[in-house]
Amino acid sequence: MPHVDIPSKLPGITGLLDAWPEPGKPVRDVTQFILRGPNTLTEGERELIASVVCTGNECQFCSNAHVITAARYVGSVDAVRSILSNPFGGQVSERVAHLLTIAGAIRTSGANVTDEMVAAARAAGATDVEIHDTVLIAALFSYYNRYVDGMATDLPSDDMYYEVLADRLTTDGYIRKEAASGTH
Amino acid sequence: MPHIPVSPNNPGIRGLFEFRPETGASLRKLAQVLLHGESPLTKGERELLATFVSHGNGCRFCTMSHAAAARHHYGADHDVVDAVVYRNDRSGVSELMNILLDIAERVRVGGRNVPDELVARARDLGAGDRHIHDTVLIAAAFCMFNRYVDGLRAITPENREDYVSMGERMATAGYVPTEAADATR
C-alpha cells in the first residue's frame, strides 16, 4: 500500500505524476528531451541506459516499464536482459557498451565514474554530449526509482499494463497529450 | 577535472546546466518547485533535507552549496545545519523533522527501504501526506542532482567561503534566474 493517498489509484510513477503535477512537469520535460529528443544515441540505446539503472536498483515498476520499452527497439526482453548482463557481448556497439558501464557505475555513486571509463567511451567514439546524456539519464532514473519505491506505489494488477505503457512511450513519448490529461 | 568541457565561471551544477541548456532549464524549475514552491515544510527544512542527502551521497558541491542556502534560511539558528549534517546531532530540530531526516536517509540508500513504521511515526507527530511526499521527493531528487554533479565531476570550489554568496542567492532569488538577475551573474 502506498505511503500516501494516490487519488487516481494508478500504479507506479503514473499515479505520482498525476497526484503531484507541479514537480512532475519539469521532470517529464527533462525525460522527454533526454530520452526522445534529437540525439546521436538512438531511443533504444537511451532506454537501455535507463534499464541498467532501474534493474540494478530493483525497482520493479520502472524495470518492467523500461525493459519492455527497450525490448520494442532491441527486439525482445531476452535480448535486453542479455545486453544488460553483458554489454560487451556484441549486441550493441562498443561505444554504447562503455556508456552502459558508466550508467551502471553512477547507479551506486556519481563518484564511481573513473577517468578510465570516460576515456574508454571516448576512444570508442562517444562524444561529450553522449557522455553528458548518459550521466543525466542514469541520474534521472536514480530519482524515479527512489520516488516510485520510496512512496511504496502499487504495481499494476495486470502485466499487460506495461505493454500498453510501452506502446505509449514508443509513440507519444513521455509528454502526455493535452487532450488526454486536460492539463498543460 | 570535469569529464566534459564546462565553463570555469560556472561551478557545480550550473556549469552542467550551461553545457546542456535544453535540460538545464527544466532541472532549474524542478529545484525551484522542490525548494521554493508550496510545502508544509519550511524552506530551511527543505534545504536541510537536501544538504543532509547530498552529504550522505558524498557530493561536496551540493552539500556545501545547499548548506549555505540552509544556513541563510535558518538565520540566527544556522548552527543547526552543521549539527545535523556534519555531526548527525538532531537536538536542534523538531521531533517530526528528526523522523523526516530518517525517511530521507532511507530513500537515499534505496527507495525500497522506507518502512511503514517510520511513516506511521511521522504521522503520529503531525505529518500529513504532503510532508511524507515532499521528503521522499526531495531525497530522491538530490540522489539525481548529486549523481549528475559527481558523475560528470563538476567544478567544486574548495572553501566554505566560496559558497556563502551562492547560498544566499539560492535562498533568496531561488533557482530559476530572471533575466535581470542573470545580467548581474
Side-chain angles (χ1 to χ4, degrees):
Chain A
M1 209 183 87
H3 288 316
V4 299
D5 181 41
I6 311 278
S8 68
K9 308 298 175 202
L10 289 168
I13 191 67
T14 324
L16 295 177
L17 292 174
D18 200 68
W20 287 279
E22 210 188 343
K25 173 74 167 66
V27 183
R28 262 184 205 280
D29 290 345
V30 170
T31 309
Q32 175 67 15
F33 179 83
I34 207 78
L35 290 182
R36 292 292 178 273
N39 207 295
T40 49
L41 294 169
T42 67
E43 293 177 13
E45 287 164 348
R46 287 178 275 166
E47 287 290 344
L48 286 171
I49 294 168
S51 298
V52 167
V53 176
C54 297
T55 56
N57 282 335
E58 299 177 17
C59 178
Q60 207 179 330
F61 180 88
C62 300
S63 299
N64 283 331
H66 291 281
V67 166
I68 290 170
T69 301
R72 299 293 178 89
Y73 298 103
V74 172
S76 69
V77 167
D78 283 347
V80 173
R81 297 215 181 276
S82 160
I83 293 166
L84 297 184
S85 63
N86 178 22
F88 292 94
Q91 290 156 288
V92 294
S93 68
E94 205 186 321
R95 160 175 142 279
V96 170
H98 281 294
L99 295 176
L100 293 173
T101 304
I102 290 175
I106 287 168
R107 186 185 74 77
T108 324
S109 167
N112 287 351
V113 180
T114 63
D115 286 338
E116 290 71 24
M117 284 178 197
V118 176
R122 268 190 221 292
T127 66
D128 287 336
V129 171
E130 288 172 348
I131 290 165
H132 167 277
D133 290 0
T134 298
V135 170
L136 183 52
I137 293 168
L140 183 63
F141 283 87
S142 303
Y143 157 82
Y144 275 130
N145 298 164
R146 282 172 176 78
Y147 191 27
V148 164
D149 279 341
M151 299 292 276
T153 58
D154 287 327
L155 291 169
S157 50
D158 182 346
D159 278 354
M160 267 307 289
Y161 182 94
Y162 298 112
E163 300 291 343
V164 174
L165 182 59
D167 286 343
R168 200 180 82 212
L169 296 181
T170 50
T171 53
D172 298 343
Y174 290 87
I175 300 293
R176 279 194 174 177
K177 287 191 168 168
E178 290 195 21
S181 68
T183 57
H184 51 274
Chain B
M1 212 181 89
H3 291 310
I4 55 172
V6 290
S7 157
N9 300 324
N10 274 332
I13 202 159
R14 290 172 53 196
L16 310 181
F17 291 161
E18 187 186 51
F19 178 85
R20 200 76 157 123
E22 300 92 333
T23 48
S26 298
L27 290 170
R28 280 181 183 277
K29 275 185 211 156
L30 175 65
Q32 181 73 11
V33 172
L34 295 178
L35 300 170
H36 281 252
E38 237 180 272
S39 174
L41 301 171
T42 66
K43 290 180 185 177
E45 287 168 338
R46 284 179 276 166
E47 289 285 1
L48 182 55
L49 287 167
T51 311
F52 181 70
V53 168
S54 299
H55 183 258
N57 281 329
C59 183
R60 188 171 163 82
F61 177 81
C62 296
T63 304
M64 298 284 274
S65 56
H66 289 281
R71 280 186 209 107
H72 188 86
H73 285 305
Y74 274 98
D77 296 326
H78 63 84
D79 284 346
V80 77
V81 176
D82 292 69
V84 167
V85 175
Y86 297 110
R87 301 194 295 280
N88 205 22
D89 167 3
R90 312 273 184 89
S91 58
V93 299
S94 67
E95 269 187 88
L96 172 57
M97 189 61 189
N98 183 32
I99 300 298
L100 297 180
L101 286 161
D102 284 343
I103 291 176
E105 174 64 10
R106 297 297 189 105
V107 172
R108 184 188 74 75
V109 173
R112 292 160 15 122
N113 301 325
V114 181
D116 290 341
E117 299 77 48
L118 207 49
V119 175
R121 281 178 69 191
R123 287 197 191 282
D124 286 346
L125 293 165
D129 277 1
R130 194 67 204 255
H131 293 81
I132 309 294
H133 172 267
D134 289 5
T135 299
V136 171
L137 181 62
I138 290 169
F142 277 83
C143 287
M144 166 173 63
F145 289 130
N146 299 161
R147 282 169 174 76
Y148 188 35
V149 165
D150 282 341
L152 290 168
R153 207 178 288 161
I155 297 167
T156 301
E158 280 295 310
N159 305 310
R160 190 169 167 136
E161 302 79 62
D162 299 329
Y163 293 88
V164 174
S165 63
M166 194 190 302
E168 184 181 340
R169 201 170 53 227
M170 288 155 67
T172 54
Y175 293 90
V176 178
T178 61
E179 280 180 41
D182 225 16
T184 66
R185 274 168 211 202

